[in-house]
Amino acid sequence: MQLYLYDNWERQLRLFTPLRHDWIGLYCCGPTVYDYAHIGNLRTYLFEDLLRRTLEFNGHVVRHVINITDVGHLVSDADEGEDKMEKGSRKAGESAWDIAERFTVAFTSDLNSLNMLPPTIWCKATDHIAEQIDFIAAIEQKGFTYITSDGVYFDTSQQEDYGYLARLNRDGIEGGKRVELGEKKHATDFALWKFSPADEQRQMEWDSPWGRGFPGWHIECSAMASKYLEPWFDIHCGGEDHIAIHHSNEIAQNQACHGTRLANYWMHGYFLQIDAGKMSKSSGDFLRLQTLIDQQVDPLAYRFLCLSAHYRSQMNFSWDALEAAQTALGRLRDTYFALPEGGKADSSYVTRFHTEINQDLNVPKALVVMWEVLKSTLNDADKKATLNQFDRVLGLDLANWQPAVLTIPDEVQALAERRRLSRLNKNWAESDALRTEIQGLGYEVEDTAGGMHIRKA
Ligand code: AMP
Ligand code: ZN
């Protein structure tokens, strides 16, 4: 079946055609590990996990790379200010290496709680300093760089189509002088290598042909993506904020070094908003996955909430919507759990589901197909088998869910047993009265295909 994906380079849906026969290259910009990930960041990784699962559902092998930015991301995208890691280290009173380790572990644990598939390759910027230096040297050799008192810069004026991904109007930026230039020649030029300030001992710094210092942020992704996936691979992802600067600069570096725009498809997850503003790490006011867990929210309820909105639309976070998602997921799990094993997936429903997700990951519509299956006349075992197919993409881990073991008070057990006997004797009036008595004690009895089920009301 044909798969269509929205490519931000061409700004249209494109039929997905792999570049190679053996694997699809998928590179996702990873976290800057100076703080915890917030649930907005996690929405972007959930979109990327959905994309990966959809590619696999279509029979592809995916070589999925996520990087860890543990150095080189300055507090301003315009290459000014401190490195976020050094700043985070001072704030936390721990070494930059220690906070990188601590927040990397926290990040991978969040991905795991959200049932995201681990990438094929994790790569850290600090493990690839040599590759970044080689990449900068190659760009320099092609004549795209200049040196200022604080670093080596990329000269964007040398590229006719610099910023095409963002449909950037360079003349507007230069003319308006909205960006502080410093020693930069053009507002859009960016740092490839920054020199360590003479009066400061940095925790993370390395020797280079240009002097002691550290790499710029954009170069790590060009260097690591080119190394693990080749300089021309299939799909590059990130959040929508990366379009204008980070991804435009990754493309500029690869154009200069390898003559490619790095990836054939550029896909972006749109933002999670909170109170109509964007959730950001630097504002300090953000919700972590752990914040939701502390409020008794199952992480997969957040996953389910994200599935309800298309990745190319912004989503407003609300606790009410999250609670509704948790309730709906609970209903889905209960129903799924009660269905018997041993069925066969229904090919016509699977095809309908597949058609929806292959239209640029249209999960909201695919979910409609899922609820239809539950209401359909398929036999129960086939319903379960069909849901198992859908869950390969949805990632709700239905097959491993178990109802919480509930200790039912003896009194309720005894009433339920009496009710079972009255039903057996077709004594409906007594059975109804016993149900009401059980409800009065805060429990609910349900008569499912698998037998009687008692749960907390
Ligand atoms: P960072 O750790 O800040 O580099 O961000 C990690 C990922 O989260 C990047 O792909 C960002 O584009 C993305 N991101 C940042 N803020 C949000 C948000 N509010 N909603 C969705 N994605 C976001
Ligand atoms: Zn990146």
Side-chain angles (χ1 to χ4, degrees):
M1 190 182 295
Q2 295 191 319
L3 169 63
Y4 288 88
L5 297 174
Y6 188 87
D7 170 27
N8 259 318
W9 179 266
E10 290 196 5
R11 299 271 165 115
Q12 62 176 347
L13 281 185
R14 287 174 60 199
L15 176 65
F16 179 68
T17 323
L19 294 175
R20 315 167 44 113
H21 295 296
D22 44 358
W23 46 262
I24 308 280
L26 172 65
Y27 186 92
C28 302
C29 288
T32 308
V33 283
Y34 70 106
D35 205 337
Y36 293 106
H38 57 63
I39 57 170
N41 301 129
L42 295 173
R43 181 185 186 207
T44 292
Y45 299 106
L46 281 167
F47 138 64
E48 293 159 350
D49 184 65
L50 178 69
L51 171 63
R52 151 125 180 234
R53 287 170 178 273
T54 299
L55 291 165
E56 290 182 350
F57 196 78
N58 279 277
H60 299 298
V61 172
V62 181
R63 185 180 285 198
H64 181 192
V65 179
I66 302 184
N67 67 298
I68 299 285
T69 300
D70 53 357
V71 69
H73 192 169
L74 300 178
V75 288
S76 129
D77 278 348
D79 290 322
E80 285 146 21
E82 252 182 303
D83 178 301
K84 288 186 175 175
M85 295 303 300
E86 301 264 342
K87 191 175 172 205
S89 141
R90 253 191 308 104
K91 192 174 137 204
E94 287 171 62
S95 82
W97 298 97
D98 286 348
I99 60 164
E101 175 63 22
R102 185 153 69 84
F103 292 123
T104 301
V105 169
F107 176 70
T108 50
S109 141
D110 282 352
L111 298 200
N112 197 28
S113 304
L114 288 162
N115 197 32
M116 292 195 220
L117 300 170
T120 327
I121 295 161
W122 283 112
C123 46
K124 287 184 188 173
T126 50
D127 287 340
H128 298 82
I129 300 296
E131 286 86 345
Q132 295 176 72
I133 290 175
D134 289 350
F135 209 109
I136 300 169
I139 297 176
E140 181 179 48
Q141 229 203 352
K142 305 244 166 106
F144 285 86
T145 63
Y146 61 90
I147 297 185
T148 72
S149 65
D150 75 354
V152 181
Y153 281 81
F154 189 99
D155 182 352
T156 54
S157 70
Q158 302 216 31
Q159 273 175 350
E160 202 42 41
D161 63 349
Y162 171 80
Y164 179 77
L165 180 72
R167 305 299 190 262
L168 187 77
N169 174 0
R170 242 189 311 182
D171 293 344
I173 294 182
E174 300 293 350
K177 292 255 183 303
R178 282 186 283 114
V179 181
E180 201 54 55
L181 271 183
E183 287 177 60
K184 286 201 300 194
K185 293 185 182 166
H186 316 95
T188 46
D189 294 353
F190 57 90
L192 295 165
W193 186 263
K194 291 280 271 190
F195 301 138
S196 296
D199 54 349
E200 195 186 298
Q201 170 74 55
R202 279 179 53 89
Q203 299 177 56
M204 293 176 153
E205 56 180 2
W206 296 265
D207 287 326
S208 82
W210 311 278
R212 202 159 172 75
F214 60 100
W217 172 33
H218 320 296
I219 196 70
E220 67 170 277
C221 289
S222 284
M224 294 192 284
S226 299
K227 171 172 175 160
Y228 291 112
L229 299 175
E230 297 188 3
W232 176 235
F233 65 91
D234 299 284
I235 311 175
H236 195 311
C237 295
E240 59 171 318
D241 58 326
H242 285 348
I243 299 172
I245 296 180
H246 183 51
H247 288 171
S248 292
N249 293 347
E250 282 186 43
I251 291 172
Q253 294 166 151
N254 270 67
Q255 284 289 9
C257 185
H258 296 292
T260 70
R261 62 168 196 273
L262 189 57
N264 194 4
Y265 298 78
W266 286 84
M267 296 178 66
H268 298 93
Y270 282 65
F271 264 27
L272 179 79
Q273 314 256 71
I274 184 149
D275 299 330
K278 81 169 191 184
M279 185 176 290
S280 77
K281 277 189 194 173
S282 47
S283 70
D285 136 48
F286 60 82
L287 299 174
R288 288 172 50 194
L289 191 61
Q290 189 58 45
T291 324
L292 308 193
I293 296 169
D294 291 344
Q295 299 295 319
Q296 315 300 320
V297 175
D298 184 323
L300 292 180
Y302 180 61
R303 184 178 181 110
F304 196 58
L305 177 68
C306 290
L307 290 172
S308 68
H310 191 259
Y311 78 92
R312 268 193 304 114
S313 57
Q314 292 184 334
M315 183 174 121
N316 204 41
F317 176 80
S318 80
W319 286 99
D320 286 350
L322 184 60
E323 202 182 307
Q326 174 132 310
T327 306
L329 177 61
R331 206 172 303 136
L332 176 63
R333 282 169 163 169
D334 284 341
T335 313
Y336 174 91
F337 190 75
L339 297 172
E341 304 282 346
K344 193 168 150 297
D346 179 83
S347 70
S348 102
Y349 278 114
V350 172
T351 304
R352 280 183 55 201
F353 180 91
H354 196 169
T355 308
E356 296 300 356
I357 55 156
N358 273 17
Q359 274 301 312
D360 196 30
L361 320 183
N362 200 339
V363 184
K365 281 203 172 166
L367 287 176
V368 173
V369 180
M370 183 192 77
W371 293 118
E372 264 183 49
V373 166
L374 291 177
K375 284 192 233 129
S376 72
T377 53
L378 287 184
N379 77 53
D380 283 351
D382 289 355
K383 281 185 186 171
K384 189 165 204 152
T386 309
L387 288 183
N388 283 337
Q389 287 305 309
F390 298 174
D391 206 28
R392 287 170 53 201
V393 176
L394 303 175
L396 296 169
D397 202 21
L398 292 173
N400 289 315
W401 180 80
Q402 297 264 342
V405 184
L406 190 67
T407 6
I408 313 279
D410 289 348
E411 192 184 359
V412 176
Q413 299 263 30
L415 289 170
E417 179 55 16
R418 275 176 56 202
R419 181 173 171 276
R420 191 180 69 80
L421 293 174
S422 52
R423 280 172 63 80
L424 217 56
N425 297 328
K426 301 199 180 347
N427 189 344
W428 307 121
E430 185 179 70
S431 136
D432 283 350
L434 285 163
R435 174 196 287 274
T436 313
E437 211 174 320
I438 291 168
Q439 282 169 339
L441 294 169
Y443 289 82
E444 199 63 72
V445 270
E446 278 167 0
D447 306 297
T448 67
M452 187 174 64
H453 179 60
I454 310 175
R455 63 174 175 82
K456 258 208 143 28

